[in-house]
Amino acid sequence: MLNKSEQLSNLKVGVIGIPGKWSTEVLADRLEAKTGFRTVMDVRDIALHLDTNKVFCKGLDLTELDGVIIKKISQVYSPTTEDRIHILSHLEALGVPVFSPTGSMGKLINRLSGTLALQQGGIPMPKTRITESVEAAFEIVREFGAAILKPLYSTKARGMVYLREEDSDETVRTQLAEYQQTQPLLYIQQALNLHGRDLGMVFIGGEYFCTYARVGNAEAWNTTINSGGRYEMFEPDAELIELGRRSQACFDLSFTTVDIALTDEGPVVFEVSAFGGFKGALDGCHLDAAEAYANYVLSSIDNQKGN
C-alpha cells in the first residue's frame, strides 16, 4: 500500500493562469515540488470538444488530470471571463475537481452579482445603489457626498471614478454621462474614510489563514498596490475574523481574499475575490499562501479519491 506522500506524488494537478506571472508560476512550483508534475495553462489555449466530451490544452487532455486550479482566468474581468468560466464548468461536470468551483467564481466575476450575494448574506457594506438613470445617479451622488463609480467588470480599482463632494453639479453630471457611455448600468458606492488603509483577509478552504493591510499612497484615493500602496501585517480580532468568514461563506471558494475596511461607521466589506493573490500574504505576513493552497488542493483531491 502506498503511503500518504506516495499517494500525493502520483497526483497530476494543472494550473490555469497567466504564464510567466509570479503568482501562477509559484503555485505551479509548489505543486511540482510535491508531485513531480507541472503544467501551466493559458485559458485562451483551451479547447472544449463537446462531440467527444474532452477538454484539451495544447495536446494535454485535461479530463485525465486529477484536478485543476484556476489561479487566474483573465488579466481584466469582462463578459468574456464569464464565458471562460462556462467552458471550465463543463470540465468540472465531467468529474475533474476544479479549485475554486466554477459556480462560485462565476458569481464574483460580475461586481453586481457578488454584491447581491453579500447583501443577501447580511454583510455590512458601504451604501451602494445601482441605476441606469443619470438623473437618479446624480441625486444619489449628491446624497452620498463623495461617491465612487465602479465598473461591473474590474479588479484593482481599474476603471473606477471618484466623485468628490466639492465637484460642481455640472462636473458630476458630465462625468456620469461620460461614464455611462461605456458602463450603461451605473454602480455607485458611497466613499468612506478608510484612513489610508484597508485589509485583505485570506481564507483557504473556508479556513482563516492571515490578514494583511494595504496602506495607500498619500497621493491616491485608493489603497491598491497599482496606485503605489504597500503591504503591512495586521492582526485582526476574533470579531473581524468572523466578519471575514461570514463574507467568504456567501460563496464556496477554495482560496479567496476578503477586502475589508475599518471606517468611522465600523468595518465594511467591499468584495470577496474570485481568485485572490499570494503577494499580500507573503510581503505583509511573511506566509507562503501558495504552499498552503497547494497542500489544501492535494489533500482535498486525495480525500475525494478515498485514500
Side-chain angles (χ1 to χ4, degrees):
M1 178 178 293
L2 297 177
N3 61 38
K4 182 65 68 174
S5 177
E6 290 171 328
Q7 289 168 358
L8 295 181
S9 67
N10 289 330
L11 297 179
K12 294 183 177 181
V13 179
V15 176
I16 294 175
I18 310 297
K21 288 291 186 178
W22 178 81
S23 60
T24 296
E25 299 293 345
V26 74
L27 181 57
D29 289 344
R30 299 297 183 267
L31 290 166
E32 182 181 22
K34 298 173 186 302
T35 68
F37 179 82
R38 189 185 201 282
T39 184
V40 171
M41 297 168 283
D42 188 323
V43 70
R44 295 174 298 180
D45 295 324
I46 291 176
L48 172 59
H49 294 198
L50 288 176
D51 54 316
T52 59
N53 266 340
K54 292 290 186 178
V55 184
F56 292 98
C57 183
K58 293 185 173 181
L60 176 66
D61 184 354
L62 274 61
T63 65
E64 295 183 355
L65 296 178
D66 294 296
V68 169
I69 301 176
I70 305 177
K71 180 61 197 75
K72 200 75 171 177
I73 204 167
S74 179
Q75 288 276 28
V76 295
Y77 289 178
S78 71
T80 299
T81 311
E82 292 181 303
D83 296 335
R84 292 170 175 173
I85 292 288
H86 291 317
I87 290 174
L88 295 172
S89 72
H90 192 68
L91 177 66
E92 194 174 37
L94 293 173
V96 178
V98 176
F99 302 86
S100 293
T102 56
S104 298
M105 287 188 297
K107 294 178 183 177
L108 290 166
I109 300 303
N110 181 299
R111 189 182 305 279
L112 179 55
S113 60
T115 298
L116 292 176
L118 291 171
Q119 174 73 19
Q120 292 156 15
I123 304 301
M125 293 179 290
K127 290 181 181 178
T128 304
R129 298 179 188 174
I130 298 94
T131 182
E132 291 185 52
S133 167
V134 170
E135 187 57 35
F138 173 78
E139 296 297 334
I140 291 167
V141 171
R142 281 306 181 221
E143 179 186 337
F144 284 174
I148 302 169
L149 301 176
K150 295 187 174 184
L152 296 188
Y153 299 94
S154 78
T155 60
K156 303 184 186 300
R158 295 185 183 96
M160 295 184 186
V161 174
Y162 186 77
L163 300 175
R164 292 166 174 78
E165 189 169 7
E166 59 269 23
D167 290 339
S168 69
D169 288 356
E170 181 181 0
T171 296
V172 171
R173 290 184 189 277
T174 298
Q175 287 187 292
L176 287 169
E178 290 178 349
Y179 193 77
Q180 197 180 45
Q181 296 302 308
T182 57
Q183 303 291 332
L185 193 64
L186 298 169
Y187 180 111
I188 310 159
Q189 199 162 73
Q190 185 176 35
L192 301 175
N193 185 1
L194 309 186
H195 302 286
R197 179 183 69 179
D198 67 354
L199 309 175
M201 189 174 289
V202 182
F203 289 83
I204 301 177
E207 298 296 323
Y208 175 73
F209 184 68
C210 71
T211 300
Y212 55 85
R214 284 177 293 251
V215 181
N217 180 332
E219 298 178 356
W221 65 265
N222 66 74
T223 63
T224 64
I225 303 305
N226 282 357
S227 297
R230 68 182 188 277
Y231 296 119
E232 289 184 357
M233 186 177 293
F234 184 86
E235 291 291 344
D237 59 24
E239 187 175 352
L240 197 60
I241 292 174
E242 177 60 16
L243 173 59
R245 188 200 64 76
R246 286 175 47 226
S247 301
Q248 61 86 40
C250 293
F251 312 92
D252 176 23
L253 298 161
S254 307
F255 183 96
T256 190
T257 301
V258 182
D259 289 345
I260 301 175
L262 304 179
T263 74
D264 296 334
E265 290 76 25
V268 295
V269 173
F270 287 122
E271 63 183 14
V272 175
S273 170
F275 307 106
F278 304 137
K279 198 69 174 176
L282 185 63
D283 290 352
C285 305
H286 310 295
L287 293 174
D288 191 338
E291 172 84 7
Y293 190 23
N295 286 336
Y296 167 77
V297 168
L298 294 174
S299 177
S300 297
I301 294 172
D302 189 56
N303 289 337
Q304 289 179 34
K305 289 178 174 291
N307 293 322

